[in-house]
């Protein structure tokens, strides 16, 4: 009886989100805890999200000094530039002004989707 010897182990296949669009819409809530946290304590949630994006922890607190929150707007633009998402500055202004908590939730979901790729491991014997 002949045995097949495995010479090379199969390598994991990594699939990451690689699109030029947001992976979720502005009001798409896949994590109720994040949505509730951002709604009831948007300042805290925004600070944590800014920190996780590599910005100063207290930077979103500057938003209270303008008509269009400059840091929320900047965070959206930064996310779009970082991941090559095609959208308009007009949409960023509208979302920053009208939907601050939803905007931060979308940014957080985008970071999770793009910075934590799905790893698929092929376990088939050859």
């Amino acid at each position: 009886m002949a045995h097949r010897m495995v010479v090379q182990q199969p390598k994991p296949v990594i699939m990451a989100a690689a699109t030029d669009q947001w992976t979720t819409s502005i009001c798409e809530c896949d994590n109720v805890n994040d949505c509730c946290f951002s709604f009831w304590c948007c300042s805290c949630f925004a600070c944590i999200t800014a920190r996780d994006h590599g910005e100063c922890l207290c930077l979103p607190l500057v938003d209270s000094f303008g008509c269009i929150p400059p840091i929320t707007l900047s965070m959206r633009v930064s996310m779009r530039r970082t991941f090559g998402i095609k959208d308009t500055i007009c949409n960023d202004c509208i979302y920053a002004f009208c939907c601050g908590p939803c905007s931060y939730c979308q940014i957080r979901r985008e970071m999770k989707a793009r910075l934590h790729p799905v790893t698929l491991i092929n376990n088939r014997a050859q």
Side-chain angles (χ1 to χ4, degrees), residues 68 112 120:
I68 294 176
K112 286 179 182 178
L120 301 174

Side-chain angles (χ1 to χ4, degrees), residues 96-123:
F97 180 73
C98 297
C99 312
C102 295
S103 185
Y104 272 103
C105 279
Q106 184 183 34
I107 290 168
R108 187 125 184 111
R109 288 190 305 267
E110 200 66 33
M111 286 190 320
K112 286 179 182 178
R114 296 191 187 243
L115 297 177
H116 301 295
V118 176
T119 303
L120 301 174
I121 298 174
N122 184 356
N123 287 333

Side-chain angles (χ1 to χ4, degrees), residues 25-117:
S25 68
I26 189 73
C27 292
E28 189 174 326
C29 183
D30 65 346
N31 184 333
V32 176
N33 292 336
D34 281 350
C35 291
C36 288
F37 184 26
S38 72
F39 182 77
W40 294 109
C41 191
C42 186
S43 298
C44 296
F45 188 80
C47 289
I48 290 168
T49 302
R51 181 201 61 204
D52 290 350
H53 186 56
E55 300 296 336
C56 174
L57 174 68
C58 298
L59 193 59
L61 299 178
V62 176
D63 276 353
S64 60
F65 298 113
C67 181
I68 294 176
I71 303 305
T72 304
L73 177 63
S74 299
M75 287 287 293
R76 289 189 62 81
V77 171
S78 175
M79 286 297 292
R80 288 194 303 109
R81 292 197 70 201
T82 299
F83 297 117
I85 298 169
K86 292 183 182 175
D87 207 344
T88 65
I89 193 73
C90 183
N91 282 343
D92 291 334
C93 287
I94 291 168
Y95 294 146
F97 180 73
C98 297
C99 312
C102 295
S103 185
Y104 272 103
C105 279
Q106 184 183 34
I107 290 168
R108 187 125 184 111
R109 288 190 305 267
E110 200 66 33
M111 286 190 320
K112 286 179 182 178
R114 296 191 187 243
L115 297 177
H116 301 295

